[in-house]
Structures are given as C-alpha cells and as structure tokens.
C-alpha cells in the first residue's frame, strides 16, 4: 500500500509538475505570440509609412518638377527617351512629352582603349586595367604627332595621347579630340576647335538670352529650344546607362556611402521641403562646395514639386568636375520672325572659352533659326565619357557658319502607309540635328486620305485606312509646334489634281457631283501611274471649294508660309479625255493649277501672309511653260541628266531638286507589284546621296544658281511603314543635309567620299542612335573601331 501510495503520490507530483510546465510553456508561447503580433503591427505600420513616403516621392518624381528619379540607372541596352516638349517631361519619363524607343546602344568597350596616332584613333587591348604597349613604329609616330592642332590634348579630365597607366580612353573621347572636327554638317566659315575638354554636370548649365525689344516670341522660342537641348542631353545620358548622380551630380542622401555623408567630400546635403531648397554646408548660389537641386536651379529658387514632398540630395565631390558653371548665351537682335522663309538668315557665330572654372558659350545669330543651329552644333561638342562617367565638352572653339542653300528638305509620304505622330516626330528630330529645315508632308494620295477636315470630315471618313489612322487638327498643330522649336517649317501637300482617289468618292451622295474621276478604275495602267487611280474633276467648282477650305485649315495651323506645295504631278490625260472633249488637255492642267493657286490666295485671306511661291512637281506638263515664273517653282524629281532640268532653268523657273537617281530614298528594293514598272534601282546609299552635286554637273552660271532654291530627299512609302522608317531615312538624309548646308567641293570626277567624311558620318550616326533613331549602319562595327582601315 505504501508503495502504491508513493507511486500515486509521485505520479500526482509528476502530473502537477507536468501541468505547471505546460502552463509555463503556454504562457511563454502566448507572450511570444503577443510579441510577434506587436512586431507584425509595427512592420505593417512601417510598410504603410514607407509606402506613403514612396508614393510622395514617386508623385514628385512624376510631377512637372525636374527633380530626377533614382530609376535612371539603366543597362547599356535599355530603352531610352527621345525628345520631349519639356525638360521635366524627360527627367520624369512623362509619356505625354517624351518618346520612348528600344533602340540598342553599343555596350561599353571595356576591353579596348584608343590613342590618337597621326590624327586617327588607334584601338588597343585594355585588359584588367592594363593597356598593351604600342609597337616601336607606333610609339615613334605617337611622339612625333602628339601635339596635332585638333589632337588629344587635355585639361583636367582631358585625355592625352600619352600612355595613361590604367586609364581607358573610350572611342568617342578619342574621336572628339583627335583628327578632323566632328561636326555634321561641316561648318562653312572659319572654324577652329581645341582638343582640350572639360567635365561638367548637366545641372550646371545656365542660359542667358539677349534679344532686341519686341522680340518676346523669339525669346520664348529660344528658351524652349534650350529646354529641348538639355532634354536631349539627358536622354543621351539615360541611353548610356548613366546613374542619377552621373546625370545631375547629385543623388539621394541614402544612396551615398557612409564615409561621404555628414561633411565628407562633397557632403553638402540639400533638403527640399514644401518647394523650398535649403542648403547645409555649402553656398546657396551653387558655387564650390554649394548644393544645387537636380533641375539646375539655385538653392533659393522655388522647386515645382508636389506640396509637402521631402527630398534629401547630397553632392558628390567637385573634384570630379572641371567647371562649376556652363554659361550659354544666345544673342538674336536682327530678326523678330518666328516662321521660316526662303530668305531667312540662318547664319550663326559661336565661341567657347574656359576660365576660372566657368565654361562660356556665346551664340550670336540674326534669327531664331540661326541660334537654334548654333545649339545643335554645341550639342555635337558634348558627349558622355563612359570611362570617367561624366559629360565632356571641347572647351575652346570659334565657329562661323551659314548654309549654302535656304531650302533643305525631307519629304515623307503618309498615304501609302500611315505613320504615327511619334514616328513623324522622330523624323523631325533627325532633321533638326542634320540642320534640314523643311518637312514636306505629302499627306494624301489616291490610296488614302488620312487628314481630318473640320469642314469636310467625309474625306477621312471615306478615305482613311481606319478610324485610328488619321491626323486630326490637334495632331497637325502638335507636329507644327514640335518642328518649329527645332527650326523646321512644315510644308503640307494635298496632292492635286492627280493622285486623288479614295476619300473623294462621296460627292454624288452629298449633292456635290463627281469630285474625282477614274477612282479605282481598271485596268489601272491606262489611267494612272500606279494603282489605285483617281484624278480630281477640273470642271466641278465644288472640287476647288473643298481644296480652298483644306488650304484654309492648313494655313491656320502651320502658317504663315511663304512656300506651299500644290502637287500637280503625273496627271493622266487619258483619264480626263474619257469625260471631256477639250482639244488641249495641257491647257486644262494649266487652268487647274492656276485655279488652285487662286484658291490658295483666297484661303490665306487679306490679313494673313499669302505664300509667295507655289510649288508643283515636274512632269511632261511643266515643260509646257504655261505657269507664271514669278509665282510657281518646280520640284524636279526626274533623272539628273533629263532635259527637263535645263528646260526649266532656261524657262526661268526656280527649282527644288529631288533627282530620282540620287535623292529618292525608297529606291532599290525591287518591284512591289507583278505588272508594270514599279521599282527604281539601285539602292541610293549615303555616299551616292552625298556625292550628288547637280549644279556642278549642269555647269550652271552664278546667275542660274540663284534659281536653285535647294534640294529635298523623298521617301515614298509603298514599301515602307513605321517599323523601318528610321533606317530608310537615316543617315542617308543627313548626307543630303551636308550637301545642302556645306556643299563641299571635291574632285569633279572622283567617285569616292573622303576618309574624314566616313569618320564624321560614323560618329554622327552614333549620335542619332543615342537620340533614339534606328539609323542604319554605314559599315561593319570593326570599321568604326579601326578608323580608315576599311575605306
């Protein structure tokens, strides 16, 4: 019994201890659960607060503020942004202002370095920070040619032709400081450019505008053009994978290594609260040791971010940069015009000097357009060094420049295929950087009528490919403003009387009679040059009334214009002969063109500038000189040796040259149909475009040269749509740009392009890629890396 009791007692004791232990465990568990619950609540609270802060930061980053976002760290092959209406739009990725493309940018060549030898860049291996030595011959050449006029000298961050002991020299830096001047198109006046460079921050750029009294519109355009200039520089940095700190010289404080915080090198902190910038540990004016917000404003200037937003930015060491300020001064004091004419003075003079940590750029011009060209040239003196991770600029220059021809055009056909507004903007960006100045917009043709008219919406309703593939008045207005700030005038063309079919077939249903004849008539080869057919009715007064209303709408948006294109090409007399018994069909065409010019005058109105020059395409009918020479100019598109060139010159007409055998960019891709002639061959490469100098071949006198207004490259789009637009245009249209701006004189019978032109074209083509244009390559990449070896 005792044993039983003892056992029972022990069992009860053990059970009691077990219960106590279980209770203790449960209590501890509940305590831990309570602690975990508290921690979860804390984490949830922190997550909510963090999310709100991120939301505020994101809101500010995507507002109209030009504070940059930390998401700018992109890979070498990432997307990048092309042009926007404002600097803020590009800084924040605002899709309303910026155009994003997937153009690949060449990766950083970390295994190669470049040296200037005999005024050319020579490639050498660069592995693990060690550069392979030159051979004895190259070393001798390097020593002998170390101080070339545009060599590889340096100042501060500048590269030299000496061995740098572990410092890689990118090709772009070598190309900009070695050999001939890398500006496209080449300046026409006295030009000297040094080889020394200065490193600077984008936020250090300042603009000063000096204009005469009453030039407010010019001053506004200059400010907008400078915004575009900075926007595109930023897009190039983004395309090259630059970080936020590399773009602006400042970064969020929490991204700075601890050793650089709180008074470290360049450790000034900028806090922006409620739109005010407060500088700690530096001067408010952004001088040495001072701090600047990322939009380039001084610390005392208001920030445009969202109310209540809080930012902390820390500057990196000023030792990384050679200047504290890049001061760009724009002077326009002679012309208050903001619209381009055939007599606009587009000359500019530019000087660049460097002293006391200040880069001074002065651009003087007679017009806004000249000043804009000066900014374009300045942009070509700037590049991103992917080794030192900074922007660089050649810090000494003197340039005098004026174009040889006032009309430097590019024509795009948007009827055979529709091109979006963004695609057309990309073409305008390329034109601006090439200093082309007239965008000839062939809006309509017999295939489609994509222009939405407020007076006659039936034209697009019956003629557009779809409801989405149209251009509204707002689209035209947007493109006009986009082009204007880039120094480009839009020249619209509603082709007439031929090439007018689909979109014109609704007349009988609305009581207006037959507006166009032969629409989609078969066999097409009897009634038009290519299917589908269509030709306006020259004896229906409603046809002229519709044209007048269209001209009114276009002039209201894109005007004033002193040059307007009326079409007039490839009229098929057999089409008209089916309906009319006139004995002289040529006279019928002449009457039609003079009627349309009269309607153009009525459309311009008494208070608007009437276009002084009406252009028509050349044809067999223009050789019949019935159009008044003081009003009509002829765009010559036939072969460079066709008799019409001499006939029109001798008849006294002014010409815009677009010879099919040199400046038609759609040629060389075979026939797109099984019957008839539909192809022009061969492909016009950029060398063919560049070498064509028709006024020299025609042996024109100085008096006859006055009749050459300029030239234009044409891209008809039977076999081109938006997916390949860039590569069909660039860089071949840029080759035309140098022919028309500079008109370099080479040996008359030489079939080759000089080596230095190849080198400049290669560098310029890379600039087009940085801007987001899918420009076609001009040779294998090996040839770009090994200068002069392939040509």
């Amino acid at each position: 019994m005792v044993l039983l009791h003892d056992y029972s007692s022990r069992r009860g004791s053990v059970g009691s201890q077990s219960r106590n232990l279980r209770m203790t465990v449960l209590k501890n568990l509940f305590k831990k659960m309570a602690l975990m619950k508290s921690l979860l609540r804390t984490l949830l609270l922190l997550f909510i607060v963090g999310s709100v802060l991120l939301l505020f930061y994101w809101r500010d980053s995507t507002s109209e503020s030009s504070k940059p976002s930390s998401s700018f760290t992109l890979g070498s092959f990432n997307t990048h942004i092309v042009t926007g209406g404002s600097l803020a739009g590009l800084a924040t990725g605002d899709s309303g202002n910026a155009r994003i493309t997937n153009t690949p940018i060449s990766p950083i060549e970390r295994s190669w370095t470049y040296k200037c030898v005999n005024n050319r860049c020579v490639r050498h291996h660069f592995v693990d920070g060690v550069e392979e030595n030159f051979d004895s011959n190259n070393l001798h050449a390097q020593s002998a040619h170390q101080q070339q006029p545009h060599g590889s000298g340096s100042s501060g961050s500048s590269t030299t032709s000496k061995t740098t002991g572990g410092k890689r020299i990118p090709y772009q830096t070598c190309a900009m400081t070695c050999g001939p001047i890398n500006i496209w198109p080449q300046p026409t006046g006295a030009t000297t450019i040094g080889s020394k460079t200065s490193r600077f921050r984008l936020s250090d750029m300042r603009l000063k505008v000096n204009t005469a009294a009453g030039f407010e519109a010019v001053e506004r355009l200059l400010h907008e053009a400078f915004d575009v200039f900075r926007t595109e520089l930023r897009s190039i940095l983004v395309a090259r994978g630059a970080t936020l700190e590399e773009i602006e010289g400042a970064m969020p404080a929490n991204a700075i290594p601890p050793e650089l915080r709180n008074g470290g090198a360049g450790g000034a902190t900028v806090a922006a609260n409620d739109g005010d910038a407060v500088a700690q540990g530096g001067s408010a004016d952004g001088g040495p040791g001072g701090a600047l917000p990322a939009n380039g404003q001084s610390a005392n200037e208001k920030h445009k971010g969202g109310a209540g937003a809080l930012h902390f930015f820390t500057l990196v060491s000023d030792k990384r940069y050679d200047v504290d300020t890049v001061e760009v001064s724009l002077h326009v004091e002679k012309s208050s015009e903001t619209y381009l004419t055939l007599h606009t003075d587009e000359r500019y003079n530019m000087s660049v000097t460097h002293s006391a940590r200040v880069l001074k750029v002065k651009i003087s011009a007679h017009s806004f357009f000249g000043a804009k060209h000066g900014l374009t040239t300045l942009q070509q003196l700037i590049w991103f060094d992917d080794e030192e991770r900074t922007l660089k600029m050649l810090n000494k220059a003197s340039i005098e420049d004026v174009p040889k021809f006032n009309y430097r055009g590019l024509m795009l056909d948007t009827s055979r295929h529709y091109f979006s507004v963004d695609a057309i903007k990309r073409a305008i960006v390329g034109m601006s950087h090439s200093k082309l100045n007239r965008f000839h917009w062939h809006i309509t043709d017999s295939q489609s009528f994509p222009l939405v008219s407020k007076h006659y919406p039936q034209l697009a309703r019956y003629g557009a490919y779809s409801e989405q593939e149209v251009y509204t008045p707002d689209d035209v207005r947007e493109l006009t403003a986009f082009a204007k700030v880039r120094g480009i005038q839009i020249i619209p063309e509603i082709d007439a009387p031929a090439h007018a079919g689909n979109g014109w077939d609704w007349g009988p249903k609305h009581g207006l009679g037959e507006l166009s004849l032969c629409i989609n008539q078969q066999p097409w080869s009897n009634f038009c040059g290519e299917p589908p057919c269509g030709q306006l009715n020259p004896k229906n007064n409603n046809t002229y009334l519709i044209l007048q209303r269209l001209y009114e709408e276009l002039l209201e948006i894109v005007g004033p214009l002193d040059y307007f294109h009326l079409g007039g090409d490839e009229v098929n007399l057999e089409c008209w002969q089916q309906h009319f018994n006139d004995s002289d069909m040529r006279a019928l065409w002449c009457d039609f063109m003079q009627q349309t010019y009269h309607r153009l005058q009525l459309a311009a109105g008494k208070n608007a500038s009437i276009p002084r020059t009406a252009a028509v395409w050349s044809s067999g009918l223009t050789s019949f000189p019935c159009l008044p020479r003081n009003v009509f100019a002829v765009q010559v598109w036939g072969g460079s040796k066709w008799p019409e060139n001499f006939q029109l010159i001798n008849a006294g007409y002014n010409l815009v040259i677009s010879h099919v055998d040199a400046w038609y960019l759609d040629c060389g891709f075979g026939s797109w149909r099984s019957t008839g002639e539909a192809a022009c061959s061969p492909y016009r490469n950029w060398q063919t475009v560049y070498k064509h100098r028709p006024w020299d071949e025609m042996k024109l006198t100085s008096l006859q040269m006055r009749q050459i207004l300029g030239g234009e490259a044409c891209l008809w789009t039977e076999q081109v749509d938006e997916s390949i637009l860039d590569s069909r245009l660039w860089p071949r249209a840029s080759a035309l740009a140098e022919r028309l701006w500079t008109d370099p004189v080479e040996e008359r019978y030489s079939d080759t392009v000089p080596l230095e032109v190849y080198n400049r074209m290669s560098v310029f083509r890379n600039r087009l890629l940085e801007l987001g244009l899918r420009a076609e390559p001009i040779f294998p990449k090996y040839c770009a890396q090994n200068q002069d070896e392939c040509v």
Side-chain angles (χ1 to χ4, degrees):
M1 294 294 296
V2 173
L3 291 176
L4 180 60
H5 176 269
D6 289 341
Y7 172 76
S8 298
S9 176
R10 287 196 299 272
R11 188 176 63 179
S13 176
V14 170
S16 176
Q17 292 176 1
S18 176
R19 283 194 300 274
N20 290 338
L21 181 61
R22 284 198 299 272
M23 290 298 297
T24 301
V25 170
L26 287 173
K27 288 179 180 179
N28 290 336
L29 181 61
F30 285 130
K31 287 180 180 180
K32 290 181 178 179
M33 289 177 64
L35 179 62
M36 289 294 295
K37 189 174 181 180
S38 176
L39 287 173
L40 286 173
R41 282 199 303 269
T42 302
L43 289 173
L44 181 60
L45 181 61
L46 289 173
F47 176 78
I48 293 173
V49 172
S51 299
V52 171
L53 290 174
L54 285 172
L55 179 61
F56 272 114
Y57 183 76
W58 178 82
R59 279 185 56 199
D60 182 71
S61 297
T62 55
S63 71
E64 285 298 314
S65 163
S66 57
K67 285 275 189 183
S69 166
S70 60
S71 63
F72 272 139
T73 306
L74 304 175
S76 296
F77 284 89
N78 212 328
T79 61
H80 66 283
I81 304 170
V82 178
T83 151
S86 66
L87 179 61
L90 186 55
T92 61
D94 181 359
S95 60
N97 294 319
R99 311 297 159 198
I100 301 178
T101 65
N102 294 315
T103 306
I105 299 297
S106 297
I108 300 174
E109 300 173 8
R110 300 193 185 280
S111 58
W112 300 105
T113 188
Y114 294 84
K115 292 295 183 179
C116 185
V117 179
N118 292 336
N119 270 340
R120 59 187 289 266
C121 293
V122 179
R123 183 181 72 163
H124 290 271
H125 282 293
F126 189 83
V127 181
D128 298 328
V130 178
E131 174 193 343
E132 287 191 357
N133 291 326
F134 290 95
D135 58 36
S136 58
N137 292 332
N138 278 339
L139 281 173
H140 176 74
Q142 178 187 14
S143 176
H145 294 276
Q146 201 167 38
Q147 301 299 327
Q148 296 293 341
H150 188 63
S152 189
S154 69
S155 172
S157 71
S158 310
T159 56
T160 72
S161 58
K162 295 180 179 179
T163 303
T164 54
K167 181 178 178 182
R168 181 179 63 87
I169 301 174
Y171 176 78
Q172 183 77 354
T173 295
C174 181
M176 291 302 298
T177 57
C178 175
I181 298 167
N182 262 301
I183 296 176
W184 193 281
Q186 193 175 45
T188 57
T191 300
T192 58
I193 295 182
S195 60
K196 296 182 179 180
T197 65
S198 292
R199 300 168 297 182
F200 69 97
R201 292 170 286 224
L202 186 60
S203 58
D204 289 336
M205 301 199 83
R206 305 287 184 269
L207 174 65
K208 290 184 178 181
V209 174
N210 295 307
T211 61
F215 282 39
E216 289 79 9
V218 171
E219 188 168 341
R220 283 195 301 272
L221 273 178
L222 290 173
H223 280 280
E224 291 176 17
F226 187 73
D227 283 347
V228 170
F229 168 81
R230 281 194 48 170
T231 295
E232 291 181 339
L233 284 179
R234 187 189 294 269
S235 76
I236 291 171
L237 290 169
V238 173
R240 289 296 181 184
T243 64
L244 177 63
E245 176 260 327
E246 291 163 350
I247 292 173
E248 294 292 356
M251 62 171 62
N254 58 5
I256 300 292
E259 62 272 15
L260 295 181
R261 299 180 193 171
N262 302 323
T269 301
V270 178
N273 190 12
D274 293 331
D276 293 329
V278 181
Q280 303 173 358
S283 62
D285 63 359
L292 284 171
N295 63 358
Q297 294 176 320
S298 68
N300 291 326
E301 292 178 306
K302 292 288 184 180
H303 172 58
K304 297 180 181 178
L310 181 65
H311 303 278
F312 296 96
F313 281 85
T314 300
L315 293 184
V316 297
S317 172
D318 282 340
K319 294 180 180 179
R320 183 172 179 179
Y321 303 98
D322 303 313
V323 298
D324 300 317
T325 304
V326 179
E327 183 182 291
V328 180
S329 300
L330 301 178
H331 299 253
V332 177
E333 298 181 352
K334 288 197 174 183
S335 173
S336 62
E337 295 298 325
T338 58
Y339 290 92
L340 194 69
T341 74
L342 292 173
H343 303 287
T344 298
D345 191 337
E346 297 176 83
R347 76 183 66 221
Y348 69 91
N349 294 334
M350 182 171 70
S351 64
V352 181
T353 58
H354 178 206
S355 63
R357 292 185 64 84
V358 176
L359 262 176
K360 291 188 177 182
V361 180
K362 182 178 180 181
I363 298 174
S364 300
H366 291 177
S367 67
F368 158 73
F369 299 93
K372 172 63 186 71
H373 296 319
L375 279 176
T376 299
T377 297
L378 175 61
Q379 191 165 332
Q380 293 191 32
L381 302 182
I382 299 171
W383 70 97
F384 180 67
D385 187 301
D386 59 37
E387 173 69 11
E388 298 191 50
R389 310 297 299 174
T390 63
L391 283 174
K392 286 185 174 182
M393 183 195 300
L394 294 171
N395 60 27
K396 185 176 182 180
S398 176
I399 300 173
E400 298 176 2
D401 205 3
V402 58
K404 292 295 181 68
F405 294 96
N406 281 354
Y407 191 105
R408 305 180 303 281
L410 174 65
M411 191 224 73
L412 178 64
D413 160 30
T414 60
S415 172
R416 271 77 177 197
H417 280 95
Y418 174 84
F419 296 84
S420 69
V421 170
D422 288 353
I424 296 175
K425 283 184 176 181
R426 289 204 310 273
I428 291 172
V429 169
M431 291 180 64
S432 176
H433 284 270
S434 304
K435 298 190 177 77
L436 294 169
N437 65 354
R438 302 270 180 161
F439 178 67
H440 177 180
W441 188 0
H442 186 88
I443 307 177
T444 68
D445 212 288
S446 58
Q447 285 84 358
S448 74
F449 197 108
L451 180 67
V452 178
S453 165
K454 64 181 180 181
H455 290 112
Y456 300 101
Q458 300 94 331
L459 290 164
R461 187 179 305 148
Y462 284 83
Y465 289 129
S466 70
E467 293 180 358
Q468 289 74 37
E469 294 170 290
V470 295
Y471 303 106
T472 66
D474 286 341
D475 291 333
V476 180
R477 191 171 289 107
E478 180 182 349
L479 284 169
T480 300
F482 187 89
K484 185 176 183 179
V485 76
R486 288 161 176 80
I488 295 166
Q489 178 71 63
I490 290 182
I491 306 297
E493 179 196 349
I494 306 296
D495 206 351
H499 294 276
N502 290 283
W504 292 93
D505 51 355
W506 50 272
K509 298 178 183 178
H510 293 75
L512 300 181
E514 294 289 352
L515 301 173
S516 184
L517 308 171
C518 313
I519 298 177
N520 302 330
Q521 189 170 351
Q522 294 288 344
W524 62 263
S525 57
N526 292 340
F527 306 106
C528 60
E530 71 176 43
C533 296
Q535 198 157 289
L536 294 182
N537 187 346
K539 295 195 174 183
N540 184 344
N541 193 56
N542 291 316
T543 299
Y544 298 107
L545 180 62
I546 292 173
L547 287 174
Q548 178 181 330
R549 293 287 185 254
L550 290 173
Y551 297 157
E552 285 177 2
E553 295 179 40
L554 290 171
L555 287 174
E556 180 184 353
I557 297 174
V558 306
L561 295 175
D562 74 327
Y563 179 97
F564 195 92
H565 209 296
L566 296 174
D569 59 323
E570 295 185 322
V571 171
N572 186 287
L573 299 181
E574 285 75 14
C575 170
W576 280 348
Q577 282 174 341
Q578 295 179 106
H579 304 274
F580 311 120
N581 294 321
D582 296 57
S583 58
D584 191 347
M585 288 292 159
R586 294 180 301 178
L588 191 61
W589 174 80
C590 289
D591 290 341
F592 182 95
M593 298 313 302
Q594 295 191 62
Q595 272 273 24
T596 55
Y597 179 70
H598 174 64
R599 296 292 180 155
L600 179 65
Q601 290 178 305
L602 294 177
K606 295 180 180 179
N607 299 323
S609 175
I610 298 175
R612 296 180 180 178
T613 303
V616 295
W617 293 98
S618 64
S619 69
L621 296 172
T622 54
S623 60
F624 176 64
C626 61
L627 302 178
R629 295 185 298 271
N630 61 332
V631 171
F632 284 88
V634 180
Q635 183 166 357
V636 181
W637 69 268
S640 57
K641 299 186 184 302
W642 285 16
E644 66 176 7
N645 297 282
F646 305 97
Q647 292 170 354
L648 291 167
I649 285 287
N650 293 332
Y653 287 104
N654 291 332
L655 305 185
V656 171
I657 296 178
S658 299
H659 287 151
V660 64
D661 51 0
W663 293 346
Y664 262 40
L665 304 183
D666 55 294
C667 291
F669 296 92
S671 177
W672 56 273
R673 61 175 185 254
S674 59
T675 59
E677 296 179 3
C680 47
S681 295
Y683 179 75
R684 282 64 164 141
N685 58 27
W686 75 268
Q687 297 97 318
T688 299
V689 175
Y690 188 88
K691 289 289 294 181
H692 188 52
R693 198 165 184 258
W695 34 90
D696 186 53
E697 296 176 12
M698 295 167 65
K699 297 180 174 60
L700 299 182
T701 66
S702 58
L703 188 61
Q704 290 173 324
M705 279 295 295
R706 297 180 185 178
Q707 295 175 237
I708 307 297
L709 301 178
E712 183 172 283
C714 298
L715 183 61
W716 303 100
T717 59
E718 288 90 345
Q719 295 175 277
V720 180
D721 65 9
E722 188 166 326
S723 66
I724 57 173
L725 175 64
D726 290 0
S727 61
R728 291 289 172 89
L729 289 178
W730 312 110
R732 292 187 295 162
S734 301
L736 172 77
E738 179 152 301
R739 173 54 56 203
L740 296 174
W741 180 282
T742 312
D743 191 25
V745 179
E746 298 112 20
E747 294 182 14
R748 179 173 300 177
Y749 303 106
S750 173
D751 294 328
T752 61
V753 173
L755 291 179
E756 69 89 13
V757 178
Y758 275 91
N759 299 330
R760 284 191 299 110
M761 173 60 85
S762 178
V763 171
F764 184 73
R765 185 255 176 181
N766 287 337
R767 288 188 179 275
L768 294 177
L769 291 179
E770 288 179 329
L771 291 164
L773 304 180
R774 302 177 182 92
E776 68 177 0
I778 66 171
F779 43 37
K781 186 171 181 178
Y782 174 88
C783 304
Q785 290 182 324
N786 295 271
Q787 188 175 324
D788 299 344
E789 288 192 15
C790 300
V791 291

